[in-house]
Amino acid sequence: MRIDIITVVPQLIQGFLEESILGRAQKKGLVDIHLHNLRDYAVRKDRRVDDYPFGGFAGMVMQCEPIDRCISALTAQRHYDQIIFTTPDGEQFDQPMANELSLCENIIILCGHYKGIDYRIREHLITKEVSIGDYVLTGGELAAAVMTDAIVRIIPGVIGDEQSALSDSFQDNLLAAPVYTRPADYKGWKVPEILLSGHQAKIKEWELQQSLQRTKTLRPDLLE
Ligand code: ADE
């Protein structure tokens, strides 16, 4: 899978992509992530890519041309399954959307900034608008990082134990069961007996009951 991220502040995401599981996934060749600085496609000498909005509204708006030039340069080289724009008024990002996007061959994520982008880009080039929650960030970079992380970690081979991605919270609309590690008794805080029994069928049953109970208590909406 290939992910192209377009942003005016690539340095905000760069370090995040190079570390830990995402960094290893790229080194292993399981995903190919490219950052593009939108300023490299600026039409103005000062490399600015924003301008005042028509109508006298407040704030600055990202111009059509640099975005169009950048996206066109990418789509001239390969087909993209989705051209995504990160925006608080987009479709809510969730686990099913992450699963679906992880099956794509190539995607572009365009990070919004300032007051927004010229709406014509959204009308003519963007195929999917995505929000990571009902709050407004200073830019779409964190949203792009969140989405990339959630998408990449479920690509087969990225997480060592494939089973563990499948038992995440939200897969099957259930929150994950609690997990424990050694020591079995820490300051009198004990690990549930069943987990030490070695009885796999009973442990599986316990895990499911815990998942159901936690979902019922913490996120009853998921069971509806
Ligand atoms: N840009 C600013 N806020 C955002 C949000 N909540 N989701 C996605 N992109 C954003």
Side-chain angles (χ1 to χ4, degrees), residues 86-88 130-133 135-140 143:
T86 59
T87 176
V130 180
S131 163
I132 60 161
Y135 39 80
V136 180
L137 304 165
T138 54

Side-chain angles (χ1 to χ4, degrees), residues 88-89 100 108 158-160 201 205 220-221:
D89 58 3
E100 203 181 305
I108 291 174
V158 168
I159 293 184
E205 178 56 27
D221 57 297

Side-chain angles (χ1 to χ4, degrees), residues 24-71:
R24 283 202 297 276
Q26 289 175 88
K27 285 198 189 102
K28 279 201 241 168
L30 296 168
V31 64
D32 200 9
I33 307 175
H34 297 262
L35 282 173
H36 305 276
N37 190 339
L38 193 60
R39 294 186 200 285
D40 294 341
Y41 297 84
V43 277
R44 287 151 51 183
K45 284 216 180 74
D46 60 4
R47 285 170 57 83
R48 288 193 70 148
V49 292
D50 61 339
D51 209 335
Y52 293 99
F54 284 123
F57 301 112
M60 300 296 274
V61 176
M62 281 160 77
Q63 293 178 286
C64 279
E65 196 167 348
I67 298 171
D68 185 27
R69 284 166 60 154
C70 183
I71 290 178

Side-chain angles (χ1 to χ4, degrees), residues 2 4 34 36 73-80 105-107:
R2 176 182 170 121
D4 289 276
H34 297 262
H36 305 276
L74 292 171
T75 53
Q77 293 172 60
R78 66 194 66 77
H79 168 76
Y80 283 89
E105 199 71 41
N106 304 306
I107 62 170

Side-chain angles (χ1 to χ4, degrees), residues 71-180:
I71 290 178
S72 299
L74 292 171
T75 53
Q77 293 172 60
R78 66 194 66 77
H79 168 76
Y80 283 89
D81 304 290
Q82 292 287 3
I83 303 177
I84 297 164
F85 174 54
T86 59
T87 176
D89 58 3
E91 187 186 339
Q92 173 91 45
F93 186 65
D94 58 9
Q95 192 62 52
M97 196 194 291
N99 295 350
E100 203 181 305
L101 290 172
S102 79
L103 300 174
C104 290
E105 199 71 41
N106 304 306
I107 62 170
I108 291 174
I109 305 178
L110 169 65
C111 304
H113 237 266
Y114 312 110
K115 186 82 183 154
I117 63 171
D118 191 305
Y119 204 75
R120 289 167 290 184
I121 292 293
R122 297 172 68 166
E123 288 173 318
H124 296 284
L125 295 180
I126 298 300
T127 61
K128 197 175 182 69
E129 301 184 325
V130 180
S131 163
I132 60 161
D134 285 344
Y135 39 80
V136 180
L137 304 165
T138 54
E141 285 71 22
L142 285 176
V146 164
M147 292 174 64
T148 302
D149 189 287
I151 291 166
V152 171
R153 66 184 293 285
I154 47 182
I155 294 173
V158 168
I159 293 184
D161 175 4
E162 272 184 44
Q163 200 55 41
S164 89
L166 293 177
S167 59
D168 286 339
S169 284
F170 301 110
Q171 295 288 12
D172 301 328
N173 267 4
L174 286 178
L175 301 185
V179 290
Y180 304 86

